[in-house]
């Protein structure tokens, strides 16, 4: 019944809308008529309840009316039609809806105060219109990665050999023991596929999680008069969203209010031209587009899957198969080693087949294996399959398929740890490229400083003002107008006794809080008293913003400007003194003002000036056609100095980068004196480097250099002040031309070209616009330069960890290849069986990669110069280390192969076990050597890497199990304590050998260059 009484109000609203000037009798008649009308309407509804209701206009003399009953919320609006109107940008149909105001009323939204915003209200809107999320394609399951792993050629070859080996083994030796060779290959294949699939699956999930974090954009909305930040996923239909330059439009909607709004719709239409949005011709805003200029408030009409962007994004999945440059180089290295392995395996195959078919091999009883036609076909096939399996196993141990796995593990691990260190990686290649960075071009505000701004100085005329009560009333009004109406920020206060909440950019918040708390500005009253006529929004090129406004019952227009002090000063021809009198500004007084600005800037203050001009309304109407504000002959109102302290620890972070051979340059839009003061405080400049030094330059000066001058001076420049985004881009291009690997930080929309041009683009997570974030490779979540230094350290760590594993892996490959090849050629048998080689390959590829790929950054990494991108992946130091260790293992193991039986007084089976055990333990000890490529103390910091110690322990335990308990499976014999001690002693020599070999100097010329003709 409550629904029945509630609905149909649209039909009777004109009747209920009583004029206030009716007489009392008229009012009574009107109320009586309303009561009769309502009763008849209710009676009609009850009589028609079994019929389908439909909406009819109220007839002139109705005997009854049919009301449209819609018990659900927001029933007065057809949301499907509204969604289509915005998507199709149909202005005429929007007018049929009652225009923007009609839509806002239907959505129960106040144009000024927004929605109620209570939990129930938001839940009701989500139920009625949906949430602002879109369906993603289902994530790839583990099975997908298992199938991908099966496509590896090496795996296919192993399976091809394992099947006949298993069949013939069972036929020859029975199911109980005949499955060992073939089964072991299947087990190895299963383990390799499992590790590879699980690793890739986890990395894919990590990318999905990072994608969710990066898509969780913060949006400014107005709810119940209060401007607040919420997640983009919490935006609902009816919300009033505040947009500024660089923002992403979070949903489909309509333009409510704003100025000079232009959006980049290239993400949805492909057109690069900016589209102007206004309430008269094109009020339609589409989700996924970016604000290119101006600011506005929009009314959300569709969210999530009801938007064009939602439909499009639901079909797109992030590609996690990005191959980094390092992975490409490793693939090339793996391919080269694989080819060498194939050659060796083919030679071993030929030698073993020749020896078998010429009768030079014997079985376990000392009988000749092949005896012409007397040998059974089954025996021949079994022997051939065994020989092929041995050759294939050599291929497996030769191909370092653990290298791609090591890179995947390293990158995945470093990405996870960097996330904890306030750096979110968007592009994998940035992890490793950062290790090669030679120059970092950083912003000042928020990166080197705290971005906690406060007005600390205020000048009226040429006098500093400490007490606001001394300011004349007229001048105070002008200041308040210039602050309240020329801003993109806002002020909110819940009750008269509660604290103020300020929103907007840090600079805007600092000025607003100063004006409200110290000048007693009441923003709401000023906004009501004045009408905004035209706005020129602030951007990083103009470095100023302006507004023209008219006051009710006045025939004059006020123009207010606010911005960089020296730029506003250049537009002024007069000024107000402290008493409020206007005075002409001559050259001497202009010089005085310039000195005041310089003094404030030298004290690390950001200087903002306010200026004003009053013009007749007729003159403004003439100028209005050009849509340009008055910029000449302004009157300077006053100057404010805003303090933004340096971040704690930023000086040390800068010094760490400089010590690591990375040059730090500061590029800022601030005054040259402010820039120099902050740069000196942060350690970028020495105290003796003044503004006349080549280390400090203004953007305009740099821009006006000839190309030759720029190339000559760019290395010397440490600070660029008053720079535009184009200047930043120009500097990045010059540095890259000189061979630098450049990392750039940026937060604004106009920083996008420089972020894209740089080798590594670093955007700011807090102050950064969505455009800047999209163009970057890494997002610095806390906007802190110390996090940039951490990213640098991790970049070097990634490269270093991969080099460690390459050295370790190649030592195993070289030793195994040479031992098996020499033994096969000379003795006709392979000392390391298929099962043993697969075991070595497995523990070295997977456990070794896991142990070395998860080493954390050390201080030593920042003591080296940046990695040169053209530097060989395997350095001379690595060649020295791995060749000496491999040579030692080859000598020892071949000695055991040919003299082991007589040295230890054991049979051939025990000798082969000794070779296998010594070989594995050598790799375990050599894993410690691989931790440090250059440093002699390989145990430094080992207690901090619990994972490494755990993997070493697991490897040793598994080796004991293989030798002592899986004798038949691994084709081994149990060893006594003395034999175990001998194996450990031989393997332990790797440590002193590693220490000695690091004393040998190496040439800087790449080792492989000596092999070229």
């Amino acid at each position: 019944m409550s629904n029945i009484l509630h609905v149909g109000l649209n039909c009777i609203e004109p009747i209920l809308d009583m004029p206030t000037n009716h007489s009392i009798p008229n009012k009574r008649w009107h109320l009586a008529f309303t009561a009769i009308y309502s009763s008849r309407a209710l009676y009609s509804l009850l009589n028609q309840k079994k019929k389908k209701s439909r909406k009819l206009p109220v007839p002139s003399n109705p005997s009854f009316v049919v009301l449209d009953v819609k018990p659900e919320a927001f029933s007065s609006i057809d949301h499907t039609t509204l969604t289509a109107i915005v998507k199709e940008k149909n202005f005429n149909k929007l007018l049929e809806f009652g225009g923007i105001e009609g839509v806002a009323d239907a959505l129960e939204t106040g144009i000024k105060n927004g929605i109620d915003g209570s939990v129930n209200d938001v839940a009701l809107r989500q139920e009625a219109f949906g949430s602002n999320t879109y369906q993603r394609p289902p994530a790839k399951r583990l099975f997908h990665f298992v199938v991908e792993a099966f496509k590896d050629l090496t795996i296919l070859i192993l399976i091809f050999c394992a099947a006949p080996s298993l069949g013939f083994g069972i036929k020859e030796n029975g199911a109980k023991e005949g499955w060992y060779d073939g089964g072991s290959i299947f087990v190895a294949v299963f383990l390799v596929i499992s590790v590879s699939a699980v690793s890739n699956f986890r990395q894919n999930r990590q990318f999905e999680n990072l994608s969710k974090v990066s898509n969780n954009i913060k949006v400014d909305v107005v709810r119940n008069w209060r401007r607040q930040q919420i997640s983009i996923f919490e935006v609902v239909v009816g919300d009033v969203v505040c947009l500024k330059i660089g923002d992403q439009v979070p949903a489909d909607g309509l333009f409510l209010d704003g100025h000079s709004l232009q959006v980049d719709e290239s993400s949805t239409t492909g057109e690069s031209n900016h589209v102007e949005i206004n309430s008269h011709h094109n009020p339609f805003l589409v989700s996924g587009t970016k604000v290119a200029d101006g600011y506005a408030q929009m009314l959300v009409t569709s969210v999530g899957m009801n938007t064009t962007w939602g439909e499009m994004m639901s079909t797109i999945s992030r590609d996690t198969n990005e191959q980094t440059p390092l992975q490409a180089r490793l693939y090339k290295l793996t391919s080269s080693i694989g080819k060498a392995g194939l050659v060796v395996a083919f030679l071993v195959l030929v030698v073993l087949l020749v020896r078998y078919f010429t009768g030079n091999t014997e079985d376990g009883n000392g009988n000749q294996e092949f005896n012409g036609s007397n040998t059974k076909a089954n025996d021949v096939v079994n022997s051939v399959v065994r020989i092929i399996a041995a050759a294939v196993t050599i291929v497996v141990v030769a191909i370092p398929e653990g290298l791609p796995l090591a890179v995947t593990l390293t990158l995945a691990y470093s990405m996870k740890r960097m996330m904890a260190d306030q750096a979110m990686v968007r592009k994998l290649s940035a992890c490793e490229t950062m290790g090669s960075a030679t120059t970092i071009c950083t912003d000042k505000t928020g990166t080197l400083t705290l971005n906690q701004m406060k007005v600390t100085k205020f000048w009226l005329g040429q006098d500093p003002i400490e007490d606001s009560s001394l300011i004349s009333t007229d001048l105070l009004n002008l200041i308040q107008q210039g602050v309240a109406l020329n801003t993109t920020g806002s002020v909110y206060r819940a009750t008269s006794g509660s604290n103020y909440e300020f929103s907007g950019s840090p600079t805007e918040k600092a000025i607003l809080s100063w004006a409200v708390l110290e000048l007693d500005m009441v923003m709401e009253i000023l906004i009501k008293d004045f009408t905004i006529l035209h706005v020129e929004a602030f951007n990083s090129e103009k470095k100023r913003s302006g507004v023209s406004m008219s006051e009710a019952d006045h025939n004059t227009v006020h123009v207010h400007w606010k911005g960089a002090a020296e730029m506003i000063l250049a537009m002024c021809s007069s000024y107000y003194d402290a008493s409020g009198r206007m005075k002409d500004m001559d050259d001497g007084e202009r010089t005085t003002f310039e000195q005041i600005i310089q003094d404030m800037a030298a004290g690390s203050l950001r200087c903002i000036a306010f200026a004003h001009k009053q013009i007749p309304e007729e003159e403004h109407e003439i100028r209005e056609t050009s849509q340009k504000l008055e910029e000449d002959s302004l009157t300077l109102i006053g100057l404010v100095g805003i303090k933004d302290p340096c971040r704690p620890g930023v000086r040390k972070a800068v010094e760490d980068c400089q010590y690591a051979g990375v040059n730090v340059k500061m590029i800022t839009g601030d005054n040259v004196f402010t820039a120099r003061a902050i740069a000196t405080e942060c350690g970028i400049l020495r105290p003796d480097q003044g503004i006349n030094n080549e280390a400090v330059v203004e953007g305009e000066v740099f821009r006006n250099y000839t190309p030759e001058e720029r190339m000559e001076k760019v290395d010397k420049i440490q600070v660029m002040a008053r720079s535009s985004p184009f200047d930043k881009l120009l500097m990045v291009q010059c540095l890259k031309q000189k061979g630098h690997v450049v990392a750039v930080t940026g937060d604004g929309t106009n920083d996008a070209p420089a972020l894209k041009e740089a080798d590594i683009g670093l955007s700011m997570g807090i102050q950064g616009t969505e455009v800047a974030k999209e163009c970057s490779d890494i997002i610095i979540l806390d906007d802190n330069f110390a996090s940039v230094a951490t990213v640098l350290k991790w970049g070097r760590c990634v490269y270093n960890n991969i080099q460690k594993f390459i050295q370790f892996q190649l030592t195993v490959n070289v030793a195994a290849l040479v031992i098996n090849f020499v033994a096969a050629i000379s003795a006709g048998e392979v000392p390391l069986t298929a099962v043993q080689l697969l075991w070595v390959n497995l523990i070295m590829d997977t456990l070794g990669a896991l142990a070395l790929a998860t080493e954390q950054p050390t201080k030593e990494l920042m003591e080296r110069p940046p990695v040169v991108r053209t530097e060989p992946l395997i350095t001379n130091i690595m060649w020295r280390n791995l060749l000496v260790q491999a040579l030692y293992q080859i000598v020892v193991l071949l000695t055991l192969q040919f003299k082991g039986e007589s040295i230890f007084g054991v049979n051939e089976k025990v000798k082969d076990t000794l070779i296998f055990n010594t070989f594995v333990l050598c790799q375990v000890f050599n894993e410690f050597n691989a931790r440090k490529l250059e440093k002699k103390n390989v145990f430094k910091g080992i207690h901090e890497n619990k994972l490494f110690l755990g993997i070493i322990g697991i490897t040793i335990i598994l080796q004991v199990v293989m030798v002592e308990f899986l004798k038949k499976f691994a084709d081994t014999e149990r060893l006594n304590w003395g034999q175990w001690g001998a194996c450990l002693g031989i393997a332990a020599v790797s440590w002193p050998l590693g220490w000695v070999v690091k004393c040998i100097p190496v040439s800087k010329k790449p080792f492989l260059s000596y092999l070229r003709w």
Side-chain angles (χ1 to χ4, degrees), residues 632-759:
D632 303 319
S633 304
L634 304 180
T635 303
L636 182 69
I637 298 175
L639 301 166
V640 294
I642 302 176
K643 181 70 175 176
D644 185 12
C646 283
R647 286 183 178 274
V650 74
R651 188 180 184 91
K652 185 179 184 307
V654 169
E655 288 172 353
D656 287 346
C657 290
Q658 291 170 339
Y659 186 68
V662 179
N663 192 12
V664 180
K665 298 180 187 292
M666 187 177 87
I667 302 176
T668 178
D670 269 344
N671 178 300
V672 66
F673 297 98
T674 307
R676 181 190 174 279
I678 293 289
T680 305
E681 194 175 339
C682 293
I684 294 172
L685 285 178
R686 297 190 309 274
D688 60 325
Q689 289 179 301
I691 57 171
N692 297 323
N693 191 292
E694 287 185 330
V696 184
V697 68
E698 285 193 327
E700 186 179 0
V701 175
F702 182 74
R703 199 183 317 144
N704 293 331
Y705 283 149
T706 63
E708 294 76 18
E709 285 177 321
R710 275 199 295 271
M711 293 297 286
E712 180 190 342
K713 296 183 179 183
V714 71
D715 281 332
K716 300 173 186 174
I717 295 171
Q718 297 298 316
V719 175
M720 185 156 67
R722 284 292 177 234
S723 65
S724 69
F726 175 74
D727 299 328
K728 183 183 278 191
L729 175 63
L730 201 58
M731 174 166 274
V732 172
Q733 289 170 338
C734 289
L735 288 167
K736 286 184 73 175
Q737 285 172 27
K738 294 205 77 172
H740 290 279
V741 179
V742 186
V744 168
T745 70
D747 54 11
T749 303
N750 291 327
D751 289 327
L755 288 168
K756 277 188 173 179
E757 180 70 22
D759 296 287

Side-chain angles (χ1 to χ4, degrees), residues 164-165 167-169 171-172 377-387:
S165 176
F168 287 123
K171 184 178 179 183
E172 184 178 0
N378 273 354
D379 294 338
V380 172
V381 171
N382 280 343
S383 298
V384 170
V385 167
R386 189 180 70 249
I387 290 169

Side-chain angles (χ1 to χ4, degrees), residues 71 113 115 184 191 205 365 493 598 666 695 709 744 763 844 863 878 997:
N113 58 301
I115 64 173
S184 67
L191 289 173
R205 283 298 168 92
N365 299 319
R493 196 182 193 187
Q598 284 184 23
M666 187 177 87
E709 285 177 321
V744 168
S763 64
M844 296 308 116
E863 293 172 2
M878 292 166 66
V997 78

Side-chain angles (χ1 to χ4, degrees), residues 349-393:
L349 178 66
V350 170
V351 169
L352 291 181
L353 285 174
V354 169
R355 290 180 66 88
Y356 174 75
F357 286 110
T358 55
N360 289 321
T361 56
E362 296 176 349
D363 59 19
N365 299 319
N367 300 321
Q368 186 176 318
E369 280 191 295
F370 183 76
N371 195 12
S373 57
N374 296 328
T375 309
K376 294 179 182 179
N378 273 354
D379 294 338
V380 172
V381 171
N382 280 343
S383 298
V384 170
V385 167
R386 189 180 70 249
I387 290 169
I388 292 173
V392 168
T393 318

Side-chain angles (χ1 to χ4, degrees), residues 422-487:
Q422 302 299 318
M424 187 176 77
V425 178
R426 295 185 72 251
K427 293 181 183 175
L428 269 178
S429 56
C431 282
E432 61 198 49
T433 309
M434 198 65 190
S436 301
T438 58
T439 303
I440 298 174
C441 297
T442 177
D443 284 338
K444 176 188 77 70
T445 306
T447 308
L448 298 172
T449 62
L450 283 169
N451 216 8
Q452 296 173 359
M453 299 192 182
K454 184 180 180 182
V455 174
T456 57
K457 293 213 173 180
F458 175 44
W459 289 70
L460 278 179
Q462 298 174 5
D463 301 315
I465 303 298
E466 302 292 340
D467 185 359
S468 60
S469 62
L470 301 176
I471 306 171
S472 69
T473 305
D474 290 342
L475 188 54
L476 186 63
N477 289 337
L478 277 180
I479 296 168
Q480 291 177 346
Q481 289 171 25
V483 173
L485 301 169
N486 186 13
T487 182

